Amino acid sequence: MKLNLQRRFWISLIFTIPLLIQMLLMPFHIMMPGHVWIAFVTTTIVMIVGAWPYWVSAWAAFGRHNANMNTLVAIGTVIAYGYSIFAMATGRDVYFESAAFITVFVLLGDVMEERMHQRASNALKKLLDLQAKEAWVLVDGRYVATPVDRIKAGAIVRVKPGERIPLDGVVTSGESAVDESMITGESMPVNKQVGDEVVGSTINGDGTLTVRITKVGQETMLAQIVEMVKKAQTSHAPIQDLTDRISQFFVPAVLILAIITFAVWTVFLNASMVQAMLYAVAVIVIACPCALGLATPTALMVGTGRAAKMGILIKDGQALEVIDDLKAIIFDKTGTITVGKPVVTDIVGDQQQVLQVAASLEDQSEHPLASAVVQRAKEDNVDLLTATNFAAVRGQGVRGQIDGQTAFVGSERLASGMRIPAELAHQGAELQAAAKTVVLVGLGDQVIGLIAIQDSPKPTSAQAINELNKWGLKTVMLTGDNQAVAEAIGKQVGIQKVIAGVLPNEKADYVAAEQQAGKVAFVGDGINDAPALTMADVGIAMGSGTDIAIESGEIVLVQNDLRGVVQALEMSRKTFQRIKLNLFWSLIYNVIGIPIAAGVFVGLGIALSPEFAALAMAFSSVSVVTSSLMLNRTKISA
C-alpha cells in the first residue's frame, strides 16, 4: 500500500520517539536496554517509510545527470544511516538519530506545504459546492424541480426568495436584490430587474425572479473563476526561473562544500572521522533549498487566492512581475471608464414636470437616448402621462399630445418658432461645452426645460484613476469618440492624456508606442480591445466585457469597477514583494546556517548537529510558508 505524505510523517515521528527519549536520558548517563538495536530498528523503519521516496527522487535526478532538492536530503540521511550501521558493527558510537530526525523534519516541511495546497484547493472546491443542486425549470407550462446539471441554455427557471440562482442568465420577469458577494466581493446586494444579467450560485433576495439561462457547465462565471484561479496558482512566474537556476548550481556547490568541510576537519584540524562526517552532514542538511523552492509557489497561491476573493482573477503569475515595473496604464473609455450607455446627467427647469413630459413621449420611442430618459423617470419614480398622436421626426426628436397640449422632445430645429428663455439657452450652451447631448423639452407653445444626456463615468472611476496618478503611473485614455467628448470625460476622471478618434485596429499600435517608454497595462472590455489587451505587457479585462476580451487579458475584474485595477495592482505588487522577501529569507538561512554547520564558529561554542540542522532547515520552510500566508492579512485599498 502506498502511503501518503501525512502517514509517512506520522509513522516516522512515532518511530523516532524512542530515539528522542534516549537523547533526553543521555545527559543523566542513563541508557535504555538494547538502545543501539532499538535505534537501528526504528531508524530503519523511518528510512524505509520516510526517507525512501527522497532517495528514489535523488537517484532519478542523478540518472539524468542532474541534482534536485531531494539530493541533499538523500545524501545526508544515507551518510548518517550508513555510517551508523558501520559503527554498530565495529563497536563505535552510532548516529542513527541524526538520519531519523533529518527525515522527520524534512517531512514536517513537506506536510506544511501540502496542507497549504490542500487549503487552497479545498477553498475552490467549497466555491463549487455553493452551486445550487436543482432548480425550478419551466416545462410545458409548469415549473418542475430539475437537477442543475440537466439544465440547458435557453431554459426558463424560477428563483424564489432566499434561493440560489442556479446558473448564469438574464432576468425575464420580476425584481429583487441579489447577494453577489461570493462572486464579486461586493457586500451590498445588487438590485436586479428585467434585462439584467445574474450569476449562478448568487443568492436571491426578497423577490421572485424568472431567469432565462444563458450559460451552463464550464461556461458559467463560477466555473471560469475556479479554472482561472487554478491556472494562476500553478502558473510559473519568471522569478521562478531564478530559483530553478539557483537550485541547479546550488546543490553541486553544497556537496563540494561538504567535502571541503570534511577534508579541512580531518586533514588540518585533526578531527576524528566521525566528527568531520557530522560537520559535513550538517552542511548538506541545513543547505537543503526546500524553502527556496517554496518561496515563489506558496506566495503565488495565497496571493491569487486572496485576489479571487476580492473579485480579481489573476490568470497568469507572470503578470505579478510585470506589474511591479509598470510605467503607464491605458484605458478604453466606453464601458471601462464610463457606464457604457447614455444616462441623464442634468435636468434644467422644473425637474418633475420636464422629466414627466419627456419620459411620457420617449416611452414610445426606440432611440437609445429615449431609453436614458425613461430609465431616469423610473429611478425618480415619476408617473408617466398618456401621450397621443405620437410621431418621430427623423434627426430632430419626437412630438405628440399630452393633456390636450402639444409636447415635444428634441433639437432646436424641432422647437423652431418657439421662444427659448435666455437662461435656458445659456445653460444649454454650458452643457454642450461639457460634451453632453442636450435636448429641449416643450409643452404648449414654450420650451419648459432641458435634459442633458451623456455616457457618464462610473461613480468610482475618478477615485481609481486619481489613486493611480498618486502612484506615479501615467494614465492614458484611448477612444474612438470625438475629441470634445473624450476631453470632457478625461477631465472628469483625472486622466493625464486623452487620445481620441482612434479606430479599433489602431488601439494596439498606440499601446506599442507607449511601450517604448516602459511597461504598459491596458484596461478594456470590448471585442475591439482584444488586440490591445494582448499587445500590452498586462491586459486587464472588465468582467462585463466580451468573452474574447476576458480571454485576452491576464487579469479579470469581476466587479466591473476601476477600483479593482488599483486593488489588482496593489495585490500583485504585494505578492511579488512577498516572493522576493521569501527568497531573501530562504537564502539568508543558508548564508548564516552553512558556516555554523561547517563548524566555523565552534571555537565560540556555536555548533550545529545534523538533527538540529534538519530542524533549522524545516523551520526555514515553515517560515516561508507562514510569510506567504501573511498575504491573507495584508491591507489592500478598498
Side-chain angles (χ1 to χ4, degrees):
M1 181 181 69
K2 187 175 181 179
L3 298 174
N4 61 32
L5 182 61
Q6 290 199 28
R7 286 184 178 177
R8 284 169 50 211
F9 168 72
W10 286 112
I11 292 172
S12 299
L13 179 63
I14 290 169
F15 281 95
T16 306
I17 290 174
L19 303 176
L20 177 62
I21 294 172
Q22 180 58 63
M23 284 182 65
L24 295 174
L25 292 175
M26 283 182 67
F28 304 101
H29 305 289
I30 300 174
M31 307 300 289
M32 291 191 301
H35 66 278
V36 173
W37 281 100
I38 292 174
F40 168 69
V41 172
T42 55
T43 303
T44 299
I45 294 173
V46 172
M47 293 299 100
I48 294 172
V49 174
W52 181 257
Y54 298 117
W55 295 356
V56 171
S57 175
W59 183 254
F62 178 75
R64 297 190 299 270
H65 306 288
N66 201 352
N68 58 24
M69 298 177 190
N70 292 332
T71 302
L72 299 181
V73 178
I75 292 175
T77 52
V78 165
I79 291 176
Y81 180 66
Y83 171 80
S84 295
I85 292 176
F86 168 77
M88 179 181 173
T90 56
R92 294 180 170 88
D93 290 335
V94 296
Y95 294 91
F96 285 115
E97 68 277 2
S98 294
F101 284 131
I102 288 170
T103 303
V104 169
F105 290 135
V106 171
L107 283 170
L108 174 63
D110 287 349
V111 166
M112 287 286 293
E113 180 185 3
E114 185 184 66
R115 282 193 174 182
M116 189 174 146
H117 280 272
Q118 287 177 344
R119 188 179 301 174
S121 60
N122 286 341
L124 294 177
K125 186 175 181 297
K126 287 178 181 177
L127 196 61
L128 280 174
D129 287 344
L130 291 175
Q131 189 177 48
K133 300 300 183 288
E134 64 178 19
W136 296 97
V137 180
L138 184 63
V139 179
D140 297 330
R142 61 192 185 93
Y143 288 97
V144 179
T146 307
V148 167
D149 56 7
R150 291 174 55 188
I151 298 175
K152 300 188 183 311
I156 301 296
V157 301
R158 185 176 62 191
V159 187
K160 298 176 182 178
E163 291 183 341
R164 290 191 182 274
I165 294 168
L167 297 161
D168 297 3
V170 176
V171 177
T172 58
S173 69
E175 187 173 345
S176 183
V178 176
D179 180 359
E180 296 185 332
S181 58
M182 61 162 288
I183 295 293
T184 66
E186 174 59 53
S187 58
M188 295 297 293
V190 180
N191 287 322
K192 299 291 182 180
Q193 54 191 2
V194 176
D196 288 341
E197 294 184 352
V198 289
V199 180
S201 302
T202 54
I203 302 173
N204 185 26
D206 53 3
T208 298
L209 295 176
T210 302
V211 177
R212 176 173 54 81
I213 301 302
T214 56
K215 294 180 180 179
V216 298
Q218 295 303 308
E219 295 178 350
T220 64
M221 181 177 289
L222 182 64
Q224 290 178 3
I225 287 174
V226 171
E227 194 57 39
M228 287 178 187
V229 174
K230 281 182 180 177
K231 183 179 177 182
Q233 291 182 339
T234 56
S235 64
H236 192 85
I239 198 171
Q240 182 69 37
D241 295 334
L242 172 64
T243 304
D244 295 340
R245 288 196 299 272
I246 291 173
S247 298
Q248 186 177 357
F249 295 102
F250 187 75
V251 174
V254 168
L255 295 178
I256 292 171
L257 191 59
I259 294 171
I260 293 174
T261 299
F262 181 82
V264 168
W265 276 101
T266 53
V267 176
F268 299 103
L269 300 177
N270 299 319
S272 67
M273 295 282 285
V274 172
Q275 190 60 46
M277 180 205 71
L278 291 176
Y279 283 130
V281 170
V283 168
I284 290 172
V285 172
I286 200 169
C288 179
C290 298
L292 192 66
L294 292 172
T296 298
T298 55
L300 195 61
M301 182 174 297
V302 176
T304 53
R306 168 86 185 277
K309 292 177 183 176
M310 296 161 59
I312 301 162
L313 307 182
I314 301 173
K315 294 160 61 177
D316 190 348
Q318 184 172 348
L320 303 178
E321 195 162 337
V322 175
I323 282 174
D324 199 53
D325 197 31
L326 276 183
K327 302 300 180 190
I329 300 185
I330 302 176
F331 296 88
D332 167 52
K333 180 180 78 72
T334 306
T336 301
I337 290 177
T338 65
V339 176
K341 60 182 180 180
V343 294
V344 173
T345 59
D346 303 88
I347 301 174
V348 180
D350 183 330
Q351 183 165 323
Q352 175 80 12
Q353 183 189 25
V354 171
L355 190 56
Q356 186 177 51
V357 170
S360 298
L361 284 174
E362 297 285 27
D363 191 41
Q364 300 183 45
S365 173
E366 296 180 355
H367 195 281
L369 298 184
S371 300
V373 174
V374 174
Q375 180 61 35
R376 176 61 180 266
K378 287 182 179 179
E379 292 173 358
D380 290 2
N381 296 316
V382 174
D383 294 327
L384 301 188
L385 304 173
T386 301
T388 58
N389 299 326
F390 174 84
V393 183
R394 183 179 296 274
Q396 296 183 39
V398 297
R399 62 159 58 101
Q401 296 282 323
I402 295 179
D403 290 339
Q405 298 185 78
T406 300
F408 77 90
V409 181
S411 65
E412 290 186 27
R413 290 173 60 192
L414 199 59
S416 177
M418 290 188 183
R419 188 182 68 83
I420 302 176
E423 181 61 25
L424 284 183
H426 175 69
Q427 288 181 278
E430 288 184 341
L431 292 169
Q432 286 176 331
K436 297 180 181 181
T437 299
V438 179
V439 295
L440 283 66
V441 180
L443 183 64
D445 59 356
Q446 62 179 343
V447 175
I448 62 172
L450 308 173
I451 294 180
I453 302 171
Q454 187 185 51
D455 179 13
S456 297
K458 295 174 182 175
T460 56
S461 292
Q463 177 188 342
I465 290 168
N466 287 333
E467 189 68 29
L468 297 173
N469 289 334
K470 289 179 185 177
W471 286 5
L473 292 168
K474 180 180 180 181
T475 53
V476 181
M477 183 172 73
L478 274 183
T479 178
D481 215 333
N482 67 67
Q483 191 69 36
V485 172
E487 290 284 357
I489 296 295
K491 186 176 180 180
Q492 288 182 57
V493 298
I495 284 283
Q496 296 173 19
K497 183 178 180 181
V498 174
I499 303 173
V502 180
L503 296 176
N505 59 344
E506 294 176 338
K507 286 190 175 183
D509 296 334
Y510 279 95
V511 171
E514 285 289 342
Q515 285 175 319
Q516 301 301 314
K519 289 191 166 55
V520 172
F522 182 86
V523 187
D525 72 325
I527 292 175
N528 61 337
D529 294 327
L533 286 165
T534 304
M535 173 64 71
D537 297 286
V538 178
I540 303 176
M542 307 300 285
S544 62
T546 60
D547 290 342
I548 190 170
I550 291 172
E551 187 63 31
S552 300
E554 285 83 25
I555 297 175
V556 179
L557 306 180
V558 176
Q559 288 182 311
N560 308 309
D561 186 334
L562 284 190
R563 286 179 300 181
V565 175
V566 178
Q567 293 177 322
L569 266 58
E570 195 171 351
M571 192 70 230
S572 297
R573 284 180 171 180
K574 290 191 174 182
T575 300
F576 186 65
Q577 288 165 3
R578 186 66 56 166
I579 289 173
K580 292 193 287 188
L581 179 66
N582 288 351
L583 289 173
F584 169 79
W585 280 115
S586 61
L587 289 172
I588 208 69
Y589 270 109
N590 290 323
V591 171
I592 296 173
I594 289 176
I596 296 175
V600 173
F601 304 107
V602 72
L604 300 175
I606 302 174
L608 206 60
S609 64
E611 53 267 36
F612 281 105
L615 180 60
M617 183 272 295
F619 180 74
S620 71
S621 297
V622 171
S623 65
V624 165
V625 171
T626 303
S627 171
S628 294
L629 290 172
M630 292 299 290
L631 278 170
N632 278 321
R633 297 182 178 273
T634 188
K635 188 176 180 181
I636 301 296
S637 300

